């Protein structure tokens, strides 16, 4: 072998060296290419969950609004009753859209979960429309339904792989957007519903105020978690910080204003006379 190589022309020796070098580089190069292709495939899978997640969030938002309007309507608020009818239609449309977009993920468990949500929504909205349900039962069933919707949102994030985002910024951003913030808005939605009923009735018993205070404590802990998740997401990521900081601070400032409104008009008010519809609008603006 040595003599064979020694007898080769110089140009052939260089060619042989080049071929050996290419062979040595082929394996790591193929590994790099394969890694990049895997990342591309993962990113594509993540993107498949964006629309179903967005539609699920919209469904949750509208169902929360329907809970609050139903609570007020069943407590005797006529203006809320008229708005509830429109909101019922909006929830139905949002539910159909969310289920259809989630179906693109091809997960039978998610579709089955949406089917259960659809069945409960049909029963619950019918009971509210015909006033065959009392306000406390309506609140409880709405809250359980929203919990099921939040669970489906979690399933969408898991199935699409969004929760497995490999970069720190993306991981904590999705945790904030798809878990921490929805949990915060759900607590705020419960405050909106309970507060609206108390203002419609123009009375708040000590136990009612105790429930509100408990919910505010939960909401404050949710705010702290959102702040933490977002701080971790933007740490060392100037572009993400610039894109989210203003809207995040505005949203959290609005949350503080909502807490103050509840404190002033319900928890510490000598007379419960703040307009229920105005309260509902203010809390809705915060949640939105």
């Amino acid at each position: 072998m040595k003599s064979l190589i020694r007898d080769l022309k110089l140009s052939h020796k260089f060619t042989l060296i080049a071929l050996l070098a290419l062979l040595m580089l082929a394996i790591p190069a193929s590994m790099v290419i394969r890694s990049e292709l895997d990342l591309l495939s993962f990113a594509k899978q993540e993107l498949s969950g964006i629309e179903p997640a967005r539609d699920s969030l919209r469904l949750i938002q509208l169902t929360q609004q329907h809970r609050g309007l139903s609570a007020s309507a069943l407590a005797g608020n006529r203006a809320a009753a008229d708005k509830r009818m429109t909101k019922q239609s909006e929830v139905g449309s949002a539910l159909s859209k969310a289920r259809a977009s989630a179906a693109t993920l091809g997960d039978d468990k998610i579709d089955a979960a949406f089917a259960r949500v659809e069945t409960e929504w049909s029963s619950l909205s019918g009971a509210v429309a015909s006033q065959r349900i009392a306000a406390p039962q309506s609140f409880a069933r709405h809250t359980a339904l929203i919990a099921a919707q939040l669970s489906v949102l979690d399933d969408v994030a898991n199935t699409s792989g969004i929760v497995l985002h490999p970069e720190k910024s993306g991981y904590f951003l999705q945790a904030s957007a798809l878990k921490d913030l929805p949990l915060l808005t759900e607590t705020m939605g419960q405050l909106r519903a309970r507060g609206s009923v108390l203002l419609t009735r123009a009375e708040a018993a000590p136990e009612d105020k105790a429930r509100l205070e408990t919910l505010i404590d939960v909401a404050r802990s949710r705010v702290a978690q959102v702040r933490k998740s977002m701080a971790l997401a933007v740490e060392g990521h100037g572009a993400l910080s610039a894109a989210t900081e203003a809207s995040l601070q505005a949203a959290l400032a609005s949350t503080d204003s909502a807490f103050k409104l509840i404190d002033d008009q319900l928890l510490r008010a000598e007379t419960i006379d703040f307009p229920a519809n105005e309260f509902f609008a203010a809390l809705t603006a915060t949640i939105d």
Side-chain angles (χ1 to χ4, degrees):
M1 177 63 71
K2 289 182 180 180
S3 61
L4 177 62
I5 295 175
R6 187 176 57 249
D7 294 339
L8 287 174
K9 293 181 179 179
L10 186 60
S11 61
H12 291 170
K13 289 180 180 180
F14 279 119
T15 301
L16 181 59
I17 292 172
L19 289 173
L20 289 173
L22 286 173
L23 182 61
M24 292 173 63
L25 290 171
I27 295 176
S30 65
M31 292 176 65
V32 170
I33 292 172
R34 183 171 182 177
S35 176
E36 292 299 322
L37 289 174
D38 287 344
L39 286 174
L40 183 62
S41 177
F42 182 78
K44 184 178 180 181
Q45 181 65 21
E46 279 189 291
L47 286 172
S48 71
I50 296 299
E51 185 175 352
R54 181 171 56 238
D55 290 342
S56 294
L57 284 168
R58 179 61 173 164
L59 171 63
I60 291 166
Q61 178 188 32
L62 292 173
T63 307
Q64 290 168 337
Q65 292 175 7
H66 187 270
R67 173 181 55 196
L69 290 170
S70 296
S72 293
L74 292 170
N77 187 324
R78 288 194 173 185
D82 293 338
K83 292 179 180 178
R84 189 214 63 80
M85 293 177 62
T86 301
K87 195 62 59 179
Q88 177 177 333
S89 177
E90 292 177 5
V91 174
S93 297
L95 176 54
S96 297
K97 185 177 181 182
R99 186 176 182 181
S101 62
T104 61
L105 296 174
D107 189 318
D108 291 339
K109 291 182 179 178
I110 292 179
D111 190 62
F114 263 117
R116 291 191 293 272
V117 166
E118 198 165 27
T119 298
E120 172 58 12
W121 165 248
S122 178
S123 172
L124 176 57
S125 60
V128 174
S130 61
Q131 296 188 329
R132 290 182 288 104
I133 188 171
Q137 286 70 44
S138 171
F139 180 89
R141 287 181 62 181
H142 272 93
T143 300
L145 179 61
I146 293 164
Q149 294 172 351
L150 286 166
S151 179
V152 174
L153 173 64
D154 192 50
D155 291 339
V156 167
N158 289 328
T159 296
S160 64
I162 293 176
V163 296
L164 301 176
H165 193 86
E167 296 179 359
K168 175 184 172 183
S169 59
Y171 174 81
F172 284 107
L173 181 62
Q174 66 80 26
S176 182
L178 300 181
K179 184 173 291 292
D180 300 333
L181 278 166
L183 288 175
L184 171 58
T185 62
E186 169 53 7
T187 306
M188 297 302 295
Q190 292 184 31
L191 283 165
R192 174 178 56 193
R194 290 192 179 278
S196 296
V197 169
L198 297 178
L199 290 168
T200 296
R201 293 174 176 170
E203 60 180 8
E207 56 268 27
D208 294 321
K209 294 184 178 182
R211 290 192 189 96
L212 292 180
E213 289 177 333
T214 298
L215 283 172
I216 288 177
D217 287 341
V218 173
R220 290 190 187 280
S221 71
R222 303 290 193 203
V223 168
Q225 185 57 50
V226 169
R227 289 186 184 278
K228 182 177 181 179
S229 294
M230 287 303 300
L232 290 167
V234 302
E235 189 175 53
H237 200 305
L240 183 58
S241 178
T244 59
E245 183 65 16
S247 57
L248 175 66
Q249 293 309 318
L252 296 180
S254 180
T255 304
D256 288 336
S257 296
F259 293 154
K260 187 177 187 305
L261 177 64
I262 295 168
D263 192 58
D264 291 345
Q265 302 300 333
L266 284 165
L267 296 179
R268 302 187 187 280
E270 294 183 5
T271 304
I272 307 299
D273 58 2
F274 191 79
N277 295 332
E278 188 175 333
F279 176 86
F280 189 93
L283 269 288
T284 297
T286 292
I287 295 169
D288 290 348

